[in-house]
Amino acid sequence: MSDAETLFGALRQTADAEAVALIEAAVADGVDRDLNRINVLAFACRHQLSEERTIAAFLHAARLGIFDMTWNVLCPGCGGVLDTGASLKGVVHDIYHCGLCAAGYEPTLDEMVEVTFTVNPRVRRIAAHDPDLLPPLEYYRQMFFSSGVDLPDNLEEKFAPIQLEMIDLSPGEKAFVSFQLPAQFVIIFDAVTHSAQFIDVKGDPTSERQSLSMVITQSHALNETVTLRPGLLRLALENHTDRRVVPNVCVAGDELHDLLGRRRPFLTAKRLLTNQSFRDIYRTDTLDVDQRLKITSLTFLFTDLRGSTALYERVGDIAAFDLVRSHFRVLNEIVASETGAVVKTIGDAVMASFPTPDRAVAAALRMRKAMLRLNAEHGADDLLLKIGIHEGSCLAVNLNDRQDYFGQTVNIASRVQGLADPNVIMTTEAVVHDSRVSEMLRERSVHSVSRMAALQGIGREVKIFALS
C-alpha cells in the first residue's frame, strides 16, 4: 500500500466520507495548478459540499500530512500574496507593503490573511513545488495572486492585450528590451521580489529613443514614478538576487483592473479561528505569546447557568454534573453547527466566537430551545440559561497556552450576558441592527425590547436588546 493510500485510509476515519472521496480524486487525477494553494470554499462550491465539512476534511488532511497548510498575508487592493508562512506565527509585521499597489496595510485577520492547502510532495509532486521552474505568467497565477482572485483559465489570452513585455531573468542576469510606450500609465513589476517601477506616459509622442534602467533586488524596492513620452523605450533590467525573477511590463488601465477585480470567497484566518474543528486539532499551535493580531469584526456569545450552585445542592453532585455535562455537549454541538467555536468554558459558563452576528443569534435561539427540551426531559426547570451577544473588533491573542481573544468587545459581551434573565437572549445594538439578524428575527417572529444599561467596567451606557 502506498503512503497516499495509507494516509487517505486514516483520513476516512476522521472526516466526511464524501469530502474525502472528492479530495482523494483531486489528488489522484487533478491538474497540478488545482492542487496548489487550494481555495477550500471554492472546492466546496464546485463539488456542492458543505463548507464546514470540507474545511474540517482539509484540516484533518493537513494534520496527517496530505496537505501543507499556509497562511498568506494579502494585499486588499490587488489580491497579491505579500507574505506566507506555515502558521499565524509568521504574521509579525505591523505594516505590509504592496509594491504593485504602492500602499501599506495593517494586517487584519478578516480579509487580509487567507488559509490555503497545497498537496504535500510525498503524496504527489506538482509544478508549484519548484516555483522557479514555472512559466512566468503561471508564476503570477500560482505564487503571487491569492486564491480569492478569480483568474480566468485563459489568463494568457486575457493578459496579452495589456502586456508589453514579460522577461525571465536568471540570477545575476542582465537584459535589454525595447518596446513602444503607449500614452497610458505603465507598471514594471516583478512577482518574485515585488519590485516595481511606475511610468506615467504622457505628452506628445517622441521619435527619440528613451532609456530606463531597473535593478531588481530582494528589498521589495519601489522606485519613484518616472514621466516619459509615448514612443520607443529601451529598458535595461538587472537581476541582483539569487533567484530567477519574472518582471513584466503592462498597461495599468481598466482592462488590468477588471482582470484583477474578479474576486471569490476564500477561507480567511478569522473564519478558521472560529472553526471548531481547527480549535480541536490545533489547540496550542496557532499564535506566539507576544502576538496581537487584529480582527475588525467578530461576534462573541457568552452563556451561563443561573442557580447552578443551588442545583448541585438540590439534586446532588452526580445528577447535577451529568445534567450540566449534557448542557455543555448540546451547546458545543450547536456552536459548531453554526460555524462557530467554543473559545473556553469557565465553570458553568461558555465563551464562543462566530464570524458573523447572524450565526451567533441563530445559535442562541437554538440553545434556548434545547434547554427547554432538556428541562422537559428532566422534569424540572434546572437548566436556566442566560445568553449575551455582542459584535465588534478585537485582538486574537495567546493566553494560557491557547488561542483566545482580548478587547472591549469581549468585555461588553460578557457584561451583557450578566444582565440577561433566564431563557432571555440579551444582545447589543451592533447585533440586532445587522441586516441578516433583522431578517432572521422577522422570519421567526422574535421580538426585542431595548433599554439603556450601565455595564460594569464600561465607561458609558450601552443600548441592549432582550430577545423573546
Side-chain angles (χ1 to χ4, degrees):
M1 182 178 291
S2 68
D3 285 349
E5 290 173 326
T6 302
L7 292 171
F8 276 106
L11 182 60
R12 280 188 284 273
Q13 304 302 311
T14 57
D16 179 76
E18 185 180 7
V20 173
L22 289 166
I23 293 171
E24 187 172 15
V27 169
D29 304 319
V31 299
D32 280 12
R33 179 193 299 164
D34 293 339
L35 296 174
N36 178 55
R37 290 186 178 170
I38 297 171
N39 181 325
V40 175
L41 302 189
F43 186 94
C45 179
R46 184 165 62 250
H47 296 290
Q48 297 182 319
L49 296 170
S50 156
E51 287 185 353
E52 293 305 303
R53 291 180 182 178
T54 306
I55 292 170
F58 273 95
L59 288 171
H60 284 289
R63 196 63 166 175
L64 289 168
I66 298 172
F67 293 101
D68 296 322
M69 183 166 59
T70 53
W71 303 69
N72 307 316
V73 181
L74 310 181
C75 170
C78 67
V81 175
L82 307 181
D83 200 4
T84 186
S87 76
L88 264 180
K89 295 177 181 178
V91 183
V92 296
H93 300 296
D94 294 332
I95 299 292
Y96 284 84
H97 293 276
C98 177
L100 185 56
C101 295
Y105 304 95
E106 178 188 7
T108 63
L109 303 187
D110 301 71
E111 297 295 334
M112 271 193 66
V113 181
E114 71 168 356
V115 184
T116 59
F117 297 81
T118 298
V119 67
N120 187 285
R122 73 169 177 155
V123 174
R124 175 177 160 181
R125 190 153 196 90
I126 58 174
H129 290 143
D130 300 299
D132 289 346
L133 299 180
L134 287 169
L137 200 55
E138 198 61 24
Y139 185 97
Y140 279 78
R141 179 201 291 274
Q142 294 196 42
M143 307 308 298
F144 179 72
F145 288 110
S146 76
S147 71
V149 180
D150 192 11
L151 295 172
D153 290 335
N154 61 339
L155 178 60
E156 293 77 5
E157 178 184 336
K158 293 288 187 181
F159 197 61
I162 58 178
Q163 178 181 300
L164 302 177
E165 286 289 342
M166 177 73 80
I167 304 99
D168 191 327
L169 283 177
S170 300
E173 188 177 3
K174 185 175 183 178
F176 296 91
V177 292
S178 296
F179 52 90
Q180 290 290 325
L181 280 176
Q184 299 184 69
F185 201 84
V186 171
I187 297 176
I188 306 170
F189 179 73
D190 170 51
V192 179
T193 63
H194 300 185
S195 298
Q197 173 68 67
F198 299 146
I199 308 173
D200 190 6
V201 186
K202 58 186 180 181
D204 296 329
T206 179
S207 58
E208 297 180 0
R209 188 180 70 179
Q210 304 170 98
S211 297
L212 181 67
S213 62
M214 180 178 176
V215 176
I216 298 174
T217 68
Q218 296 284 10
S219 61
H220 295 222
L222 173 64
N223 296 295
E224 292 292 328
T225 300
V226 298
T227 301
L228 296 175
R229 293 163 63 185
L232 185 65
L233 173 67
R234 186 173 188 264
L235 176 64
L237 292 162
E238 294 184 55
N239 179 6
H240 286 195
T241 77
D242 58 0
R243 291 186 58 187
R244 177 197 75 158
V245 296
V246 286
N248 87 91
V249 187
C250 69
V251 176
D254 291 341
E255 288 181 274
L256 178 63
H257 295 147
D258 291 344
L259 187 62
L260 302 185
R262 292 159 42 106
R263 302 301 170 89
R264 59 182 179 175
F266 59 88
L267 181 59
T268 64
K270 180 183 92 167
R271 178 158 181 186
L272 199 57
L273 293 183
T274 60
N275 177 276
Q276 192 64 52
S277 294
F278 175 77
R279 294 188 71 96
D280 291 343
I281 298 171
Y282 298 89
R283 290 180 180 274
T284 60
D285 189 28
T286 305
L287 296 167
D288 279 330
V289 292
D290 295 327
Q291 279 184 292
R292 310 285 187 268
L293 297 178
K294 186 176 179 180
I295 299 176
T296 58
S297 173
L298 198 64
T299 304
F300 293 97
L301 180 152
F302 281 83
T303 72
D304 198 9
L305 286 175
R306 178 177 174 180
S308 57
T309 302
L311 170 64
Y312 279 81
E313 182 69 25
R314 185 169 64 256
V315 303
D317 288 347
I318 294 177
F321 176 76
D322 288 343
L323 192 58
V324 171
R325 187 172 61 176
S326 297
H327 131 276
F328 275 133
R329 183 171 61 251
V330 170
L331 296 192
N332 286 345
E333 291 172 354
I334 292 173
V335 169
S337 67
E338 294 293 346
T339 72
V342 172
V343 179
K344 58 188 173 185
T345 59
I346 310 162
D348 297 327
V350 170
M351 172 186 175
S353 63
F354 295 84
T356 55
D358 59 308
R359 293 300 90 209
V361 172
L365 293 172
R366 290 177 58 189
M367 288 174 181
R368 184 162 65 181
K369 285 185 177 180
M371 291 306 102
L372 294 174
R373 185 177 64 252
L374 280 177
N375 283 332
E377 293 172 356
H378 179 65
D381 290 334
D382 288 325
L383 297 174
L384 301 176
L385 195 65
K386 302 167 58 181
I387 304 174
I389 307 172
H390 181 51
E391 176 272 337
S393 62
C394 65
L395 296 177
V397 298
N398 186 321
L399 290 175
N400 301 319
D401 293 325
R402 72 173 148 201
Q403 192 258 308
D404 206 336
Y405 300 98
F406 178 84
Q408 197 72 313
T409 298
V410 179
N411 297 334
I412 291 175
S414 175
R415 302 292 189 270
V416 167
Q417 178 272 316
L419 296 178
D421 291 323
N423 298 323
V424 171
I425 301 166
M426 196 69 75
T427 72
T428 60
E429 201 166 6
V431 174
V432 297
H433 285 179
D434 178 85
S435 59
R436 290 165 294 188
V437 171
S438 298
E439 183 179 355
M440 180 190 305
L441 298 182
R442 283 195 303 269
E443 290 177 348
R444 304 188 185 189
S445 299
V446 177
H447 302 287
S448 65
V449 177
S450 66
R451 64 182 173 91
M452 300 300 294
L455 304 182
Q456 182 182 355
I458 308 299
R460 56 184 171 83
E461 284 197 331
V462 173
K463 193 172 188 179
I464 58 175
F465 294 76
L467 306 184
S468 59

